[in-house]
């Protein structure tokens, strides 16, 4: 099992129609499974770019 390193959580957003009706939605973070120094971790794609 990979160890979760990232602290990112889903965002709560409203989708707006032309009539300005609000519908709740969630935007999930882009989490990736990577091996760093022989250890499997779950980090966001932005963090993975900085490490690589």
């Amino acid at each position: 099992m990979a160890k979760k390193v990232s602290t990112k959580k889903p965002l709560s957003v409203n989708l707006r129609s032309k009539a300005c009706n609000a519908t709740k939605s969630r935007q999930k973070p882009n989490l990736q499974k990577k091996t760093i120094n022989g250890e499997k971790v779950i980090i966001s794609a932005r963090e993975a770019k900085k490490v690589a």
Side-chain angles (χ1 to χ4, degrees):
M1 181 77 185
K3 184 170 78 171
K4 187 170 183 182
V5 176
S6 181
T7 59
K8 292 190 174 275
K9 296 180 181 176
L11 292 174
S12 295
V13 295
N14 281 328
L15 300 177
R16 293 284 178 168
S17 66
K18 287 186 177 180
C20 206
N21 297 331
T23 304
K24 289 276 188 185
S25 179
R26 289 172 57 135
Q27 292 179 345
K28 295 181 181 177
N30 187 6
L31 298 178
Q32 306 287 324
K33 292 179 185 174
K34 296 285 180 181
T35 303
I36 299 173
N37 297 331
E39 185 178 352
K40 292 183 180 180
V41 294
I42 299 175
I43 57 177
S44 68
R46 183 178 290 185
E47 293 168 343
K49 281 177 77 174
K50 289 180 183 178
V51 172

